[in-house]
Amino acid sequence: MTRTFVLGLDGASWRLLEPWIETGELPNFEALRESGTWAESRSCLPPVTFPNWKCYASGKNPGGFGVFWFERVDLDAGEISVCNGNDFDTLELWDYLNDEGQTAGVMNMPSTYPPREIDDFIVSGGPDAVEGEYRSLEEGYTHPPELAEELEDRFGYRVHPEPLLSSNDETGAEVDAILDLFEARFEAAITLFEERDLDFMHLTLFYLNVLHHFFWDEASTRRGWKLVDEWIGRLADLEDTDLIVMSDHGSGPTQTEFYVNEWLAEHGYQARTQSIGSVFQRVGLTRENALAVAKRLGMVEFLSRAIPERVQQLVPQEAGVKRGQKLDAIDLPNTQAVASAQGPIYVNPAYDVESVVDSLIEDLRTVEDEHGRIFTDVYRGEEIYDGPYVDEAPEVVVEQRPGVHVNDGIGGGEIMTEPARWAAENTNTGIFVASGPSFEAGGKRERISITDIAPTVLANAGCAVPTDMRGDVLDIFREDPDVETRDPLESAGRRSEAGEEVSERLQQLGYME
């Protein structure tokens, strides 16, 4: 039977790649599209790493597994916590491959930390596999556990680059470290795929999207994509292997920074209190300033270990306070709504929820900047999610216009600004290419859903598709497979809470600015 290798490229978009394909700078990508079928892939909302890697792997939208962004917001309990892999209540396509006797390797996929047992292995990836701020995980990120030593000894594998890229000005050692990571990941994934004669392999390059965020289409990003293209040529040469290249979402240049919680406060949906974070911000003490000084003095590692993380959390970013500190800055009994970044808005259940939702949707649909409406649409949560966790979904979800970064910082004072930290923002259209012995040379086809990929991979492997997957088997095969359905396997459910260290890594990368 033909094997399958899925290459996941975080934040990849045709908008970025096609100019380079047309000028011949990505020849292997061009050849892959010509030999197979390709399309835009629509992400689930919000278009972000959490939850979309799990949307791909499970074939479900976030209502099916209970994670709607990097953080979980419970206004009834007055709590905001950061999610990790244990908070996703779902099984994934490799569980079903295993159940039908096929082996699988999963390397560096976000949302898989801490790792769980599969046949053959899982290597957890960024941004959630962390020890603490600026400290890469040295152990505990693989299953089986002893695989970590093999990866490090044979391939120089690291979970995170060092030094970590955290600024638009860092185009030297920080970018080199990311490219070194890419090399190690490709070498390790292909070697283990071949040596262990696996039926399936998944590899994600998460830090590719970090390059997009900080540099968009500049030289540093182009270096990364040329390296990826070289390795795609090697993947395409593997014998008896179907190659799928996909992304969790897309990306595009940022035009406008929209501070959604500042907008909520300005329009009477949110009341504020005084917090220590707002005091720090007024005197100019921010994470960006502190980090820049620590880097200049070579003290990042020392300070990250010496200063307790609960103290580090008190220092706001330039955009304002984030995560749990948002609730410290909000007068919750007099607040109707609180937002996460990039789309989700939660309504305080102490109010008339339906009335607040109606008002929010009406008001948000009219917000504009000089380029037009900020949001292409505004939805009720139940309109776009289904499954057992719809009751936990945000009541309102905005679909940001390409070029808009919805920032959830509190205390910055402005509602709309020029782009701040990120040169590029996530968009809801990613990439999909399928090429190999099983797939037809169908050229470009209509947009697919990210939830279509898991059932398509299972059908291609001759496995039945579980009935709780929401995606469709794509019509891209040389010979139509016999598609059967099956009852879902039982999930272990949610197993633990995320730690502060996950929040720290996300903040340094700009995901929870």
Side-chain angles (χ1 to χ4, degrees):
M1 179 181 291
T2 304
R3 304 175 299 167
T4 301
F5 195 112
V6 177
L7 175 59
L9 303 174
D10 201 293
S13 68
W14 296 124
R15 180 177 181 179
L16 177 66
L17 300 184
E18 284 186 331
W20 295 336
I21 291 174
E22 291 171 2
T23 57
E25 295 179 80
L26 303 178
N28 293 309
F29 233 115
E30 181 178 16
L32 198 69
R33 295 206 308 185
E34 291 176 350
S35 66
T37 297
W38 61 281
E40 282 189 336
S41 172
R42 181 173 172 85
S43 306
C44 297
L45 293 178
V48 69
T49 297
F50 275 28
N52 273 286
W53 281 112
K54 202 65 80 178
C55 296
Y56 144 71
S58 68
K60 304 172 185 176
N61 66 60
F65 48 69
V67 174
F68 299 88
W69 194 66
F70 288 109
E71 66 185 15
R72 174 177 291 121
V73 178
D74 185 346
L75 296 184
D76 193 27
E79 296 177 350
I80 297 179
S81 58
V82 176
C83 299
N84 71 1
N86 281 341
D87 296 295
F88 294 86
D89 183 12
T90 187
L91 293 178
E92 294 158 272
L93 67 91
W94 29 89
D95 296 296
Y96 292 97
L97 290 169
N98 286 175
D99 195 54
E100 300 205 25
Q102 300 190 35
T103 53
V106 179
M107 183 168 289
N108 197 50
M109 197 182 92
S111 77
T112 59
Y113 180 77
R116 57 186 180 80
E117 182 176 357
I118 69 167
D119 181 15
D120 194 84
F121 66 83
I122 282 185
V123 181
S124 299
D128 46 319
V130 291
E131 180 185 355
E133 185 174 6
Y134 270 79
R135 298 199 301 276
S136 187
L137 212 61
E138 300 297 333
E139 60 184 10
Y141 63 90
T142 67
H143 187 90
E146 61 269 19
L147 180 60
E149 184 176 359
E150 179 182 353
L151 291 174
E152 292 158 13
D153 290 346
R154 293 184 66 187
F155 308 106
Y157 191 96
R158 290 182 61 85
V159 180
H160 299 287
E162 186 179 310
L164 188 68
L165 177 62
S166 61
S167 154
N168 311 80
D169 300 322
E170 297 168 346
T171 59
E174 290 82 0
V175 174
D176 291 341
I178 289 175
L179 302 192
D180 288 344
L181 240 65
F182 291 173
E183 294 274 14
R185 298 200 190 324
F186 273 117
E187 191 67 53
I190 292 175
T191 300
L192 296 181
F193 183 56
E194 295 283 73
E195 286 183 352
R196 301 187 180 208
D197 194 24
L198 300 178
D199 298 300
F200 173 88
M201 184 67 168
H202 174 94
L203 168 65
T204 296
L205 299 186
F206 164 73
Y207 278 95
L208 194 60
N209 199 42
V210 176
L211 295 177
H212 301 159
H213 282 320
F214 287 113
F215 307 115
W216 179 226
D217 60 356
E218 295 178 5
S220 296
T221 303
R222 189 177 304 215
R223 286 180 61 198
W225 274 102
K226 283 190 168 184
L227 187 153
V228 170
D229 188 74
E230 292 172 8
W231 282 96
I232 284 177
R234 290 184 57 176
L235 289 171
D237 288 339
L238 294 175
E239 293 185 1
D240 299 320
T241 301
D242 289 320
L243 175 59
I244 293 175
V245 180
M246 49 75 64
S247 65
D248 55 335
H249 53 75
S251 54
T254 309
Q255 297 172 322
T256 299
E257 198 101 358
F258 178 78
Y259 292 84
V260 59
N261 282 309
E262 298 298 273
W263 181 90
L264 289 171
E266 178 72 19
H267 289 77
Y269 292 103
Q270 197 173 100
R272 297 289 172 79
T273 63
Q274 183 79 280
S275 71
I276 190 169
S278 63
V279 173
F280 283 151
Q281 195 169 33
R282 280 202 302 274
V283 299
L285 177 57
T286 67
R287 285 178 175 269
E288 289 86 350
N289 295 339
L291 180 57
V293 171
K295 279 193 167 185
R296 283 199 302 272
L297 298 176
M299 298 180 64
V300 172
E301 177 73 13
F302 170 75
L303 292 175
S304 67
R305 293 186 181 277
I307 300 175
E309 288 177 358
R310 67 181 182 276
V311 176
Q312 298 175 36
Q313 286 284 338
L314 297 175
V315 181
Q317 293 206 356
E318 289 177 359
V321 295
K322 302 275 181 167
R323 205 178 68 76
Q325 281 65 51
K326 289 191 294 191
L327 293 184
D328 293 336
I330 288 171
D331 177 7
L332 190 56
N334 293 305
T335 286
Q336 299 179 44
V338 178
S340 297
Q342 297 165 303
I345 301 175
Y346 294 82
V347 174
N348 189 343
Y351 287 80
D352 182 343
V353 172
E354 286 302 309
S355 175
V356 174
V357 168
D358 288 342
S359 179
L360 276 171
I361 290 175
E362 182 179 356
D363 290 345
L364 288 165
R365 283 177 172 164
T366 67
V367 180
E368 295 183 343
D369 64 3
E370 68 270 25
H371 304 286
R373 290 192 177 182
I374 291 290
F375 307 116
T376 58
D377 213 335
V378 185
Y379 303 94
R380 293 175 177 270
E382 65 265 24
E383 290 182 80
I384 57 172
Y385 302 128
D386 59 66
Y389 288 100
V390 171
D391 288 347
E392 297 183 14
E395 281 73 24
V396 175
V397 180
V398 301
E399 184 169 354
Q400 56 199 18
R401 187 190 74 225
V404 172
H405 174 43
V406 176
N407 194 315
D408 67 332
I410 288 179
E414 295 186 85
I415 293 175
M416 277 187 271
T417 69
E418 294 293 313
R421 192 177 185 188
W422 279 0
E425 172 57 288
N426 297 346
T427 65
N428 64 11
T429 50
I431 70 169
F432 174 82
V433 188
S435 179
S438 301
F439 301 120
E440 64 179 357
K444 186 177 182 180
R445 60 164 290 153
E446 294 297 317
R447 181 182 295 174
I448 71 164
S449 167
I450 193 171
T451 60
D452 295 334
I453 299 174
T456 300
V457 169
L458 290 176
N460 189 39
C463 298
V465 178
T467 54
D468 63 346
M469 285 190 174
R470 293 295 183 256
D472 298 320
V473 175
L474 297 172
D475 181 20
I476 58 174
F477 298 96
R478 293 184 188 273
E479 297 182 7
D480 292 337
D482 293 326
V483 180
E484 298 182 356
T485 59
R486 58 168 294 167
D487 290 335
L489 295 168
E490 186 174 349
S491 170
R494 293 170 171 165
R495 288 158 283 163
S496 72
E497 294 299 322
E500 292 296 327
E501 63 273 11
V502 179
S503 174
E504 291 293 339
R505 181 68 59 168
L506 294 169
Q507 288 173 335
Q508 294 307 331
L509 291 171
Y511 283 84
M512 301 185 71
E513 299 169 287

